[in-house]
Amino acid sequence: GGPGSGGYPPPPNSEGHPGGPHGEQPRKPPFFRRHAVVLIAAATALVTSLIVGPAAAALTAYLFEGGSTSALNNDGSEGSVSSGDVSAVADQALPSVVSIEAGQGAGSGVILSSDGRILTNAHVVAAAEGGTVNVAFKDGSEARARVLGSDPVSDLAVIEAQDKTGLTTAKLGNSDKVQVGADVVAIGSPLGLQGTVTSGVVSALDRPVNTGMSGQPQQPDNPFGLPEEQQQEEEQLQTSTVINAIQTDAPINPGNSGGPLMNMNGEVIGINTAIASTGSMGQAGSIGLGFSIPINQAKPIAQQLIENGQADYAAIEATITRSNEEGSRIVETTDGGAAAQAGLQRGDRITRVNGEEVEGPNALIAAIRSHQPGDTITIGYVRDGEEHESEVTLSAQSSDSLNS
């Protein structure tokens, strides 16, 4: 069952694949397994996208209330709920979670509107042929869906199922209220097993994770790429997908990506997107380190994808690189860009965002992208051995600018 092996996954209760299907049995095997890996904290830790394909993979889905995008304005009053009944959460949430097949990949998704809008990961629908995917619902029905918008920078996408009405929509929570140690539930289609429910706790918040989903050899926060002499040195940064993630030990596996991470009030607080593994060989599976996009970060992006087919993200318009000391060193600023207007210069070493330490480039990028374009943040930096602070009004960039 490893990368390229074409083997079908072992039974649902075998070692490495905790839990079993909660609901219908899968009607067909998952498509090819495909994964992208990237180093995070330790040299042995790899982050893997959760799509089911010739390696490991997953889908991401977003949950909206009602039949319109007005649900995106739901503040989610119960984001801090930390205990409850897993069965009750499952009964409430399962009808709003779907399985998705796109090309030769497969994953999960969450119903945002009663007329068929569904949020998932961009990497789930990246292999969609002709911009269409297949969706399987809890009641056993299926439908074709078209991709309304996909954004590799945030790793989010919205699809729309055709000729569907009266669907059960999910409830969105408030990820700003989530606390470490709170009980959570993950729902999705790991290894093609639709409607699988697992539980665990929130093990960390604001975890910078570089999923390495994009194949573009460019620094995420810089539309111009890195200087040629630094490109090999900066392999870790050659991706456009860096998230400020909710970390959980709830078992999630290839096929869970795009599915919801829920609090004990049955509200979506995150979109399951990646898992850590201990090596690059063999089939990736849960080791108790899963990562979800906080729903408060996902909502405005999903809204833009529905309205415009693409999304903007916050940026400081500067090329950054690792520093020999703590923080990230500025290599270059864009003339007239956000960083330049705030007085930041080449050689400055950024160490803090809004008073919080940022240890390296991934942490800096994740911290910036957790805000919205137009927000003003305080950047702490070191210049010539002296510490300074400057307020930076974040600019708006899109994935199109990364590839231009």
Side-chain angles (χ1 to χ4, degrees):
S5 69
Y8 192 70
N13 286 317
S14 64
E15 183 178 356
H17 305 285
H22 189 115
E24 305 88 24
Q25 295 290 333
R27 291 177 296 283
K28 59 187 77 174
F31 282 69
F32 79 91
R33 293 192 179 82
R34 167 173 76 86
H35 69 237
V37 296
V38 65
L39 292 173
I40 49 173
T44 57
L46 300 168
V47 174
T48 304
S49 297
L50 299 178
I51 316 174
V52 174
L59 293 180
T60 299
Y62 281 81
L63 309 176
F64 290 79
E65 289 240 45
S68 71
T69 57
S70 62
L72 290 172
N73 298 319
N74 175 22
D75 291 333
S77 60
E78 303 297 334
S80 61
V81 172
S82 60
S83 62
D85 189 331
V86 173
S87 295
V89 173
D91 287 343
Q92 174 182 326
L94 277 167
S96 63
V97 182
V98 302
S99 292
I100 300 173
E101 293 176 355
Q104 293 181 310
S108 309
V110 180
I111 299 172
L112 305 178
S113 69
S114 60
D115 55 0
R117 286 173 179 167
I118 297 164
L119 187 59
T120 189
N121 282 134
H123 73 258
V124 169
V125 299
E129 298 172 357
T132 60
V133 299
N134 293 316
V135 180
F137 297 89
K138 174 70 166 61
D139 63 4
S141 66
E142 298 183 359
R144 297 281 282 175
R146 65 186 181 97
V147 178
L148 293 180
S150 181
D151 177 45
V153 171
S154 62
D155 195 15
L156 296 172
V158 176
I159 63 176
E160 185 174 55
Q162 304 299 299
D163 301 322
K164 297 295 288 188
T165 58
L167 297 174
T168 300
T169 60
K171 218 175 147 184
L172 299 184
N174 185 346
S175 53
D176 290 343
K177 293 186 177 181
V178 175
Q179 298 176 340
V180 173
D183 292 339
V184 288
V185 173
I187 302 179
S189 302
L191 306 176
L193 300 173
Q194 185 176 0
T196 296
V197 176
T198 57
S199 64
V201 300
V202 173
S203 49
L205 295 171
D206 300 322
R207 181 73 76 192
V209 174
N210 184 331
T211 69
M213 194 204 81
S214 172
Q216 300 298 325
Q218 295 167 326
Q219 201 279 336
D221 199 38
N222 172 35
F224 306 107
L226 291 167
E228 182 177 351
E229 67 271 14
Q230 296 175 349
Q231 286 186 0
Q232 291 188 357
E233 174 187 349
E234 302 304 322
E235 287 180 357
Q236 183 179 353
L237 301 182
Q238 292 181 355
T239 173
S240 63
T241 304
V242 182
I243 60 176
N244 211 23
I246 298 171
Q247 180 180 308
T248 180
D249 69 350
I252 56 177
N253 287 284
N256 268 114
S257 191
L261 185 69
M262 314 194 78
N263 64 20
M264 302 311 293
N265 198 47
E267 297 173 327
V268 180
I269 57 169
I271 301 300
N272 298 322
T273 296
I275 57 175
S277 60
T278 55
S280 59
M281 300 302 293
Q283 174 69 52
S286 174
I287 59 170
L289 290 170
F291 305 100
S292 303
I293 301 170
I295 196 63
N296 287 14
Q297 296 179 31
K299 286 192 289 185
I301 294 168
Q303 185 73 60
Q304 291 181 70
L305 293 175
I306 291 169
E307 295 176 354
N308 308 318
Q310 62 181 25
D312 292 331
Y313 63 94
I316 61 171
E317 296 179 283
T319 303
I320 58 174
T321 186
R322 286 188 294 266
S323 172
N324 292 331
E325 302 174 80
E326 182 186 66
S328 304
R329 181 171 57 85
I330 295 179
V331 175
E332 180 183 10
T333 61
T334 302
D335 289 344
Q341 289 183 9
L344 296 174
Q345 301 175 6
R346 175 186 175 92
D348 289 346
R349 179 163 55 89
I350 299 176
T351 58
R352 293 178 179 271
V353 173
N354 288 340
E356 298 292 329
E357 291 185 5
V358 286
E359 296 181 353
N362 283 342
L364 175 59
I365 295 163
I368 290 170
R369 290 187 183 164
S370 68
H371 295 274
Q372 295 301 309
D375 288 352
T376 297
I377 63 173
T378 301
I379 293 286
Y381 64 97
V382 176
R383 179 186 297 169
D384 299 328
E386 295 186 2
E387 295 185 356
H388 303 272
E389 284 190 346
S390 182
E391 290 192 345
V392 179
T393 300
L394 300 174
S395 63
Q397 292 185 341
S398 69
S399 57
D400 289 343
S401 68
L402 282 175
N403 300 322
S404 61

